[in-house]
Amino acid sequence: MSDIAAVFSESGLLAVAIPGFRARPQQIEMAQKIAEAIKANRILVAEAGTGTGKTFAYLVPALLAGGKVIISTGTKTLQDQLFNRDLPTVRAALKVPVSIALLKGRANYVCHYHLERNARDGRFLTAQDAADLRAITRFAQVTQTGDKAECTDVREDSMAWIAATSTRDNCLGQDCPFKEECFVMQARRNAMEADVVVVNHHLFFADVMLRDEGMGELLPACNAVIFDEAHQLPETASLFFGDSVSTAQVLELARDTRSETVSAARDCVPMIDQTRNLEKAARDLRLVFGTESARLSAAQASERENFDAQVEALERRWANSTPCWTPRPSAPKDSPTACAAPRRWPSASRAGAIPPKPTSSAGSRSSPSRWRSTPRRCMSRTCSSASSTATRAPGCSPRPRWRWARPTSATTAASSAWRGWIRRR
């Protein structure tokens, strides 16, 4: 370990390259222990006080080891500091040909698809959100990485970032028309090729969870992993290997579903209404906790007034918020509405619309230009009808079952928003 001691000495490489650098015995000892652990492929837990110089103590042996190293930090702020300042400084001092890469979660990168779609729709709560999205659009045209930390014109907590980024649930993956320009995929490719990759604890455990489920991987294979701020690991791990749910997730699903429906199937009004009802139920549940910000167990939350009632209300809204192309549950046998209710074709003059066939069945409405009958079986389990004129079960409505002239018009509307949720269940 003489090389490590020489690097940290008063006349070493660090002292020559960094003005004001001073050798510290605790720092040298820590760096030597880390170098030994990397060489022997064993685990080391090191604790040092403030002012020890922990960052340089693990960066020097990591860069001199010669293998692929992943460095995980507790916060994105420390991650940016490490990648933009500390790592380049130490690499330049040691004069080693080591490539480095920065990798964050997908919510930290601009998504071309969601940015273009939301900028085109122009639905914002405030004028500031609209101005922020325009600034993000300009940023996306000049940035090389798409990292929102580089966009200093927009606050990090701006609601416009939600409209300009993607999540694991609403990402289109290989179906995205911008997959070749995707900033997330570009960052992952750079991480695969780099010698040192800087990540955060959340991304590291997300990779571990995906590997355990056999669904792929986010991080490359490596020779060593260094955790900075390791005392945060238990709390971060519990987020990925425990079960949790938040109203923010429900609000995000409702918002994405409504946005996809409005852009691809405006005629599917019931789904839009149901997403608004789901949003209201989620916000009512959040009001149970007031303005305080705290993490509670299920037992502690159930002690709050109206918590159980609001959860039940949210569950009912969730059950009702099914896609509008899903068949309705079968009605009782003696119900006069056992068959699905007719649905209107919004406009026969729409481009690409298939002109519906006129119908003259008894009791039907006189609007042949907007209705289309199809030989679909009645929803009642005891009904043997295969068309609108066949014999129906007792209590079955005399009206035929109607469907869209183009069955995929509503299906494509919310497929993006619901794909991730369906896969996870």
Side-chain angles (χ1 to χ4, degrees):
M1 296 294 104
S2 58
D3 293 341
I4 298 295
V7 170
F8 285 93
S9 64
E10 294 183 357
S11 59
L13 296 176
L14 293 180
V16 173
I18 303 174
F21 178 82
R22 292 188 304 171
R24 309 167 195 172
Q26 299 87 348
Q27 187 182 42
I28 298 176
E29 181 184 1
M30 181 178 176
Q32 291 175 338
K33 295 293 184 181
I34 293 176
E36 293 174 359
I38 294 176
K39 184 177 181 179
N41 292 323
R42 59 184 178 85
I43 299 174
L44 172 69
V45 179
E47 183 178 3
T50 304
T52 304
K54 298 184 289 295
T55 302
F56 283 14
Y58 66 73
L59 283 182
V60 170
L63 295 182
L64 294 178
K68 196 175 186 75
V69 180
I70 292 179
I71 302 176
S72 179
T73 65
T75 62
K76 289 185 291 185
T77 302
L78 182 58
Q79 186 181 3
D80 291 331
Q81 174 186 324
L82 190 64
F83 177 78
N84 295 318
R85 191 183 68 181
D86 297 336
L87 256 175
T89 300
V90 175
R91 181 177 60 175
L94 298 179
K95 300 179 181 179
V96 290
V98 175
S99 58
I100 61 176
L102 178 69
L103 186 60
K104 301 179 181 180
R106 68 172 65 251
N108 294 278
Y109 297 95
V110 175
C111 174
H112 293 288
Y113 172 76
H114 290 285
L115 176 61
E116 179 182 336
R117 187 197 64 184
N118 290 304
R120 182 178 63 251
D121 293 344
R123 294 179 176 84
F124 306 101
L125 296 178
T126 64
Q128 184 62 45
D129 292 343
D132 288 344
L133 195 70
R134 289 193 295 269
I136 296 174
T137 302
R138 294 191 297 269
F139 166 74
Q141 296 172 352
V142 298
T143 180
Q144 298 295 322
T145 64
D147 188 350
K148 70 178 186 180
E150 300 177 0
C151 184
T152 57
D153 295 336
V154 182
R155 304 185 323 275
E156 185 177 357
D157 58 349
S158 173
M159 295 300 295
W161 285 117
I162 299 178
T165 57
S166 65
T167 64
R168 186 180 65 176
D169 295 324
N170 64 17
C171 176
L172 298 183
Q174 294 299 319
D175 297 331
C176 182
F178 300 96
K179 61 181 180 181
E180 299 297 333
E181 301 87 8
C182 180
F183 290 123
V184 176
M185 298 306 298
Q186 176 183 337
R188 291 179 180 176
R189 286 192 295 265
N190 294 338
M192 293 294 177
E193 300 171 358
D195 298 315
V196 178
V197 184
V198 182
V199 302
N200 54 66
H201 297 344
H202 287 80
L203 185 61
F204 180 85
F205 282 108
D207 175 73
V208 174
M209 184 181 66
L210 288 178
R211 291 174 186 265
D212 290 345
E213 296 177 353
M215 298 178 62
E217 58 186 21
L218 300 176
L219 304 180
C222 62
N223 302 100
V225 179
I226 299 176
F227 292 103
D228 197 351
E229 303 291 338
H231 62 277
Q232 300 180 10
L233 291 178
E235 181 179 357
T236 306
S238 66
L239 298 177
F240 289 91
F241 299 103
D243 294 326
S244 63
V245 65
S246 67
T247 54
Q249 293 173 301
V250 179
L251 293 173
E252 183 180 13
L253 174 63
R255 184 186 62 253
D256 290 342
T257 303
R258 182 168 61 254
S259 180
E260 289 289 344
T261 304
V262 170
S263 62
R266 297 175 182 270
D267 44 4
C268 193
V269 179
M271 178 178 289
I272 299 176
D273 295 338
Q274 289 295 346
T275 57
R276 292 195 177 98
N277 294 335
L278 184 62
E279 277 187 336
K280 183 181 184 304
R283 296 185 188 280
D284 290 343
L285 176 60
R286 178 63 182 87
L287 291 176
V288 172
F289 301 95
T291 58
E292 62 179 303
S293 178
R295 294 185 60 188
L296 304 176
S297 64
Q300 292 173 326
S302 62
E303 297 176 357
R304 297 296 182 98
E305 185 179 359
N306 296 329
F307 174 77
D308 294 333
Q310 293 298 339
V311 170
E312 293 177 0
L314 180 60
E315 290 178 347
R316 290 195 300 270
R317 292 298 186 185
W318 180 278
N320 293 333
S321 299
T322 54
C324 62
W325 66 86
T326 303
R328 297 181 181 180
S330 301
K333 299 178 182 179
D334 56 347
S335 172
T337 59
C339 286
R343 296 175 179 171
R344 284 186 177 275
W345 178 251
S347 176
S349 61
R350 175 178 294 184
I354 303 175
K357 296 179 180 179
T359 175
S360 58
S361 57
S364 63
R365 303 184 184 183
S366 57
S367 53
S369 63
R370 295 198 175 193
W371 295 85
R372 184 178 184 185
S373 177
T374 56
R376 300 286 296 279
R377 184 173 296 278
C378 175
M379 294 179 65
S380 175
R381 296 182 179 179
T382 60
C383 182
S384 62
S385 63
S387 68
S388 59
T389 58
T391 303
R392 284 176 288 272
C396 184
S397 172
R399 298 178 296 181
R401 183 177 182 182
W402 306 87
R403 67 173 181 178
W404 298 107
R406 291 187 299 175
T408 60
S409 64
T411 305
T412 56
S415 60
S416 301
W418 286 84
R419 185 184 293 114
W421 294 82
I422 292 174
R423 286 178 180 174
R424 294 171 62 186
R425 285 157 177 79

